[in-house]
């Protein structure tokens, strides 16, 4: 019995030494961090590739009271990092803490940004009723500030939440408002935002068996992607990715409405892109959700079936 107790005491002692050494090592590493990388821009760039280091930098910036990284900025950056780690409870906590700061409450653009992020986080947590109230508060502010892109984004968030509450008609209505708000834009970022909203709208329409309306939305989305392709700004592969998402859905839809020739054409359009290759090289893009379509070609009076698993743009959310 004494031997067991002796081993237990020794083990505890070694654990305490290891903990102390680890803490000392962390402190030493923190002190070695140069001030030059304790910036909002650098931490924002880091938050997806190395979120744990981003959090370490934020802790150190907070400890040093780094100029340019006020407490509210640190809280908003922390919320962004926790969002990239899918830790939505912590994301919500730090957004709310930032919102409680006068530096956010009294500056309308900062408040709009924080409220929009909170609405998205509540959506991710399936807290739809509170999320809709928050989004509506942000929407009023976006309209006062004439921030059309924010207004469109918030309308789409509300639409997704109504769809999540099994109120598809309201969800579809808000999605259409979101699209209409930016329909005439020539800004490539805003066109990308509309394309994503079209993808969400098509998913809601498909889920509720409004197939013909979903096809019409897909044709409109194709025009948005074409307009984007003529502009400077989209990163390499982005246009193919968007077309890939679109054509996979269109092939599925045309099959459902018994138009196999059009389904085959949509599949060929999909195959002409590098979408699947692009997505396969990005394992961080949550491709667990896929849309399985059955591609049917009628040839010589015979039906040849080929099963393909294609990515769906809702998988990015």
């Amino acid at each position: 019995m004494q031997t067991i107790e002796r081993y237990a005491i020794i083990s505890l002692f070694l654990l305490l030494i290891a903990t102390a050494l680890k803490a000392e090592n962390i402190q030493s590493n923190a002190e070695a961090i140069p001030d030059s990388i304790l910036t909002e821009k650098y931490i924002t760039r880091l938050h997806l590739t190395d979120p744990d280091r981003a959090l370490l930098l934020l802790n150190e910036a907070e400890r040093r009271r780094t100029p340019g990284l006020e407490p509210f900025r640190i809280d908003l950056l922390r919320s962004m990092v926790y969002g990239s780690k899918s830790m939505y409870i912590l994301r919500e906590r730090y957004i709310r803490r930032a919102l409680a700061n006068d530096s956010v409450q009294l500056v309308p653009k900062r408040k709009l940004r924080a409220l929009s992020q909170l609405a998205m986080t509540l959506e991710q947590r399936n807290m739809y009723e509170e999320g809709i109230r928050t989004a509506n508060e942000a929407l009023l502010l976006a309209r006062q500030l004439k921030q059309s892109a924010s207004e469109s984004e918030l309308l789409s968030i509300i639409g997704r939440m109504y769809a999540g509450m099994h109120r598809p008609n309201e969800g579809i209505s808000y999605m259409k408002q979101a699209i209409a708000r930016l329909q005439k834009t020539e800004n490539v970022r805003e066109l990308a935002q509309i394309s994503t909203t079209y993808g969400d709208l098509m998913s809601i329409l498909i889920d509720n068996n409004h197939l013909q309306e979903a096809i019409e939305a897909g044709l409109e989305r194709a025009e948005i992607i074409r307009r984007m392709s003529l502009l400077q700004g989209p990163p390499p592969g982005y246009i193919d990715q968007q077309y890939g998402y679109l054509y996979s859905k269109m092939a599925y839809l045309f099959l459902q409405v018994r138009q196999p020739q059009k389904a085959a054409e949509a599949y060929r359009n999909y195959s002409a892109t590098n979408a699947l290759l692009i997505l396969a090289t990005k394992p961080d893009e949550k491709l667990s959700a896929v849309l399985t379509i059955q591609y049917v070609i009628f040839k010589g009076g015979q039906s040849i079936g080929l099963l393909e698993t294609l990515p769906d743009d809702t998988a990015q959310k």
Side-chain angles (χ1 to χ4, degrees), residues 39 52 160 172-173 185 198 250 258 272 275:
T39 66
D52 291 330
R160 290 197 303 268
I172 291 165
S173 174
T185 185
Y198 265 118
M250 295 300 282
R258 300 185 183 280

Side-chain angles (χ1 to χ4, degrees), residues 1 32 35 39 50 74 80 86 109 115 124 133 165-166 181 192 211 214 229 240 242 258 286 297 316:
M1 188 69 178
D35 289 335
T39 66
D50 194 350
I74 290 174
M80 177 182 66
S86 300
K109 285 188 178 181
L115 284 172
Q124 289 160 331
R133 287 195 299 271
M165 295 169 70
H166 305 291
R181 189 68 186 86
L211 303 185
S229 71
D240 265 10
Q242 292 295 292
R258 300 185 183 280
K286 297 184 180 179
I297 303 176
Q316 286 187 309

Side-chain angles (χ1 to χ4, degrees), residues 267-317:
Y267 181 85
R268 283 192 293 270
N269 287 336
Y270 173 84
S271 299
T273 73
N274 291 319
L276 192 57
L277 178 63
I278 292 163
L279 291 167
T281 63
K282 297 183 178 181
D284 58 316
E285 284 199 10
K286 297 184 180 179
L287 296 175
S288 57
V290 293
L291 177 65
T292 300
I293 68 167
Q294 186 179 18
Y295 169 42
V296 180
I297 303 176
F298 287 90
K299 183 178 180 181
Q302 293 183 342
S303 175
I304 303 171
L306 175 65
L307 196 66
E308 291 284 345
T309 300
L310 303 176
D312 176 26
D313 47 356
T314 58
Q316 286 187 309
K317 304 227 176 274

Side-chain angles (χ1 to χ4, degrees), residues 67-86:
L69 283 177
E70 300 92 335
F72 79 88
R73 292 189 195 278
I74 290 174
D75 284 338
L76 289 173
L77 287 167
R78 277 200 184 107
S79 74
M80 177 182 66
V81 176
Y82 282 122
S84 72
K85 290 166 67 72
S86 300

Side-chain angles (χ1 to χ4, degrees), residues 33-268:
I33 294 171
D35 289 335
S36 60
I37 67 171
L38 296 179
T39 66
E40 184 172 2
K41 183 177 180 180
Y42 181 81
I43 294 169
T44 299
R45 192 166 70 242
L46 197 65
H47 83 282
L48 287 174
T49 57
D50 194 350
D52 291 330
R53 178 160 174 78
L55 288 172
L56 174 66
L57 296 181
L58 287 169
N59 290 339
E60 188 59 17
E62 187 173 50
R63 187 185 71 82
R64 296 185 193 180
R65 298 183 180 180
T66 302
L69 283 177
E70 300 92 335
F72 79 88
R73 292 189 195 278
I74 290 174
D75 284 338
L76 289 173
L77 287 167
R78 277 200 184 107
S79 74
M80 177 182 66
V81 176
Y82 282 122
S84 72
K85 290 166 67 72
S86 300
M87 299 173 70
Y88 299 122
I89 292 175
L90 287 172
R91 176 172 165 82
E92 179 187 349
R93 176 189 300 175
Y94 284 106
I95 296 172
R96 290 190 185 280
R97 197 163 84 170
L99 273 166
N101 193 309
D102 284 347
S103 295
V104 173
Q105 279 292 326
L106 301 178
V107 181
K109 285 188 178 181
R110 289 176 186 167
K111 185 176 181 180
L112 172 59
R113 176 189 170 194
L115 284 172
S116 299
Q117 290 180 359
L118 180 57
M120 284 187 280
T121 304
L122 292 170
E123 179 197 357
Q124 289 160 331
R125 296 194 61 203
N126 297 333
M127 299 171 66
Y128 296 135
E129 291 185 1
E130 185 178 358
I132 288 171
R133 287 195 299 271
T134 302
N136 275 318
E137 182 182 354
L139 185 60
L140 180 62
L141 191 54
R143 286 171 174 161
Q144 290 172 351
L145 296 172
K146 302 188 186 311
Q147 298 286 315
S148 56
S150 293
E151 184 181 342
S152 177
E153 182 180 40
L154 288 159
L155 287 166
S156 67
I157 291 170
I158 294 171
R160 290 197 303 268
M161 286 192 280
Y162 273 123
M165 295 169 70
H166 305 291
R167 294 164 63 175
N169 291 339
E170 288 158 291
I172 291 165
S173 174
Y174 273 95
M175 286 295 179
K176 289 181 176 179
Q177 291 178 58
I179 291 165
R181 189 68 186 86
L182 293 179
Q183 192 69 258
K184 296 181 180 179
T185 185
E186 292 301 325
N187 181 295
V188 70
R189 288 181 180 274
E190 293 176 357
L191 287 171
Q193 185 176 318
I194 296 176
S195 180
T196 299
T197 303
Y198 265 118
D200 291 335
L201 172 61
M202 290 176 71
S203 294
I204 297 171
L205 291 168
I206 291 169
D207 288 345
N208 290 278
N209 207 35
H210 300 317
L211 303 185
Q212 191 56 47
E213 197 173 347
I215 288 172
E216 292 168 7
L219 295 174
E220 292 171 9
R221 185 184 189 185
E223 174 60 17
I224 294 296
I225 299 170
R226 186 194 69 80
R227 286 166 58 190
M228 265 196 293
S229 71
L230 301 175
L231 299 174
Q232 297 291 324
Y238 178 77
I239 297 299
D240 265 10
Q241 180 200 67
Q242 292 295 292
Y243 274 130
Y245 287 144
L246 171 63
Y247 290 136
S248 66
K249 283 183 177 177
M250 295 300 282
Y252 170 83
L253 283 164
F254 282 127
L255 280 173
Q256 297 306 302
V257 298
R258 300 185 183 280
Q259 296 185 40
Q261 287 82 5
K262 288 188 176 181
E265 181 184 359
Y267 181 85
R268 283 192 293 270

